[in-house]
Amino acid sequence: ISAKTDYAIRAAAELAANSDQTWTKTESVAIAQGIPLPFLLNIFAELRTAGLVQSRRGVDGGYRLARPAADIKVADIIRAVDGPLANVAGSRPEDMEYEGAAARLRDVWVALRATIRGVLESVSLADLTAGYLPDSVMALIEEDDAWTARI
């Protein structure tokens, strides 16, 4: 997960926390989430292009979500700023072809993408701001080795 992706999700969650959907100043999002303002402006431009946020100029302007927070998944934000959830050397996993001992590697990449989708497409911005995670995600983080780094 790149810093850009992390910032984008946090910024979108900050907009989602504004439940009345009033316009939120970029500066307030930057301060609340500790995101450098120039970086945040670029992220919001990408989210706007993807149709996830709206912007308005002027004294009463700022940013807000373009759809209800419950309809925007974490996966949507990642795709908007980073592209596909999983790729191999810039290609889709299903387009890869391997020979010999690595012939089944394509299936591993496809399974990995399915797992990533299963998590990121099940969590909405509304879930994040409510402090809720689906049972399937909770089960993953409750596994004994989920919090253990492997070298």
Side-chain angles (χ1 to χ4, degrees):
I1 305 295
S2 67
K4 179 181 178 182
T5 297
D6 182 57
Y7 286 163
I9 296 165
R10 290 167 40 205
E14 198 65 34
L15 295 181
N18 189 357
S19 60
D20 62 0
Q21 281 295 292
T22 57
W23 299 96
T24 303
K25 299 284 184 204
T26 316
E27 294 81 6
S28 66
V29 174
I31 290 167
Q33 291 298 321
I35 302 171
L37 186 58
F39 207 59
L40 181 59
L41 290 169
N42 288 332
I43 289 168
F44 275 154
E46 291 182 33
L47 295 177
R48 187 181 63 239
T49 298
L52 298 174
V53 301
Q54 298 172 328
S55 64
R56 183 166 82 178
R57 292 185 177 175
V59 143
D60 296 326
Y63 286 87
R64 69 181 182 189
L65 297 179
R67 304 191 313 249
D71 295 343
I72 300 176
K73 306 298 183 184
V74 172
D76 298 329
I77 297 162
I78 294 172
R79 288 184 184 110
V81 298
D82 272 346
L85 295 179
N87 66 54
V88 180
S91 297
R92 296 177 180 268
E94 67 271 18
D95 294 338
M96 301 305 295
E97 290 186 31
Y98 300 99
E99 301 295 325
R104 295 299 307 258
L105 188 54
R106 178 182 66 173
D107 298 337
V108 172
W109 299 146
V110 171
L112 176 64
R113 181 181 59 191
T115 302
I116 290 171
R117 282 181 179 167
V119 172
L120 300 177
E121 290 180 352
S122 70
V123 179
S124 72
L125 291 177
D127 295 334
L128 287 179
T129 59
Y132 166 82
L133 292 176
D135 291 341
S136 60
V137 175
M138 290 300 297
L140 291 170
I141 65 173
E142 290 170 355
E143 290 182 13
D144 291 339
D145 66 344
W147 298 89
T148 305
R150 293 196 178 147
I151 297 176

